[in-house]
Amino acid sequence: MTKEQDVLALFEEVADKHGKLDVLINNAGANSAAATLLEGDLVDWKAMLDLNILGLTLSTREGVKLIESSGSKSGHIINLNSLAGHVVPKAPYGQFYSGTKHMVTALTEGLRKSVQSKNIRVTSLSPGRVETEFLGRALGKGQEAVAAEIYKKVKVLEAQDIADAIVYILTAPAHVNIDELTITPLLQEQL
């Protein structure tokens, strides 16, 4: 999702196979424990910006083009954001990531304002902690056990919870736009 040619080829393939696009779900994201504000390096910061911001923006641009060019009377773009897109965490490894997700919040709002007159709905879906491989990767190599312990502290969200939230968003009546949906585990501690 960080190479423009790959993204363009993907949307060309969708256009060739399906002729249209009704729904785009931007669900790529990265974090790195090494990318702290004070000790991070440019390579890690750029990797996060490339995927979390530029990949999302590039996919969105191409998705809107395809929705419009196919003559679709409506469309929906869902950006998988994060609770960290609304609250800056105490943990240093999450602060630069949070900055990228705050930008996703702003870009999603800007997109909504740009396309709502075209009958394209736009939603930011911001989950709290979800049990995936994301946390283990963010903490760094060999830290999967640490992530597993964090997941044991409270019942965290599961992939099915996110899928159910997406279904909820997509099945809202045509005149309803769910601007933001934030879901968290009931007992998740504040970031």
Side-chain angles (χ1 to χ4, degrees):
M1 297 306 304
T2 60
K3 295 182 178 141
E4 185 172 15
Q5 288 307 105
D6 293 347
V7 174
L8 296 175
L10 173 66
F11 281 91
E12 187 175 307
E13 183 179 339
V14 170
D16 290 345
K17 284 186 176 179
H18 304 286
K20 67 177 189 162
L21 180 69
D22 296 313
V23 175
L24 172 63
I25 300 174
N26 286 311
N27 184 33
N31 189 6
S32 169
T36 66
L37 291 175
L38 301 179
E39 297 172 3
D41 65 58
L42 194 59
V43 171
D44 286 331
W45 292 335
K46 281 186 175 184
M48 261 195 275
L49 288 169
D50 282 350
L51 184 58
N52 297 358
I53 302 305
L54 298 178
L56 175 137
T57 304
L58 182 58
S59 294
T60 299
R61 181 190 74 192
E62 296 305 309
V64 169
K65 283 182 189 177
L66 186 52
I67 290 168
E68 291 180 323
S69 71
S70 65
S72 179
K73 295 196 185 322
S74 65
H76 204 135
I77 298 170
I78 299 172
N79 288 334
L80 242 45
N81 197 348
S82 171
L83 183 59
H86 306 277
V87 178
V88 178
K90 291 184 252 179
Y93 70 84
Q95 293 166 351
F96 190 87
Y97 169 77
S98 178
T100 69
K101 289 302 186 172
H102 273 77
M103 193 166 178
V104 169
T105 301
L107 290 170
T108 303
E109 180 64 23
L111 176 65
R112 183 180 309 104
K113 291 175 179 181
S114 297
V115 300
Q116 69 185 38
S117 66
K118 300 174 182 187
N119 209 30
I120 299 173
R121 298 189 288 177
V122 178
T123 301
S124 171
L125 174 55
S126 300
R129 187 155 288 141
V130 182
E131 188 167 358
T132 66
E133 70 284 349
F134 183 83
L135 182 59
R137 286 184 188 163
L139 293 174
K141 277 189 173 179
Q143 297 299 310
E144 294 82 8
V146 173
E149 284 303 312
I150 291 171
Y151 289 142
K152 287 180 184 177
K153 288 182 180 180
V154 298
K155 173 73 173 143
V156 296
L157 300 174
E158 299 171 356
Q160 187 62 51
D161 299 318
I162 306 308
D164 291 344
I166 291 170
V167 170
Y168 171 74
I169 291 165
L170 292 173
T171 57
H175 70 285
V176 173
N177 188 76
I178 299 170
D179 295 358
E180 169 67 41
L181 180 58
T182 303
I183 59 174
T184 59
L186 180 62
L187 299 177
Q188 179 173 330
E189 298 172 5
Q190 288 295 319
L191 294 179

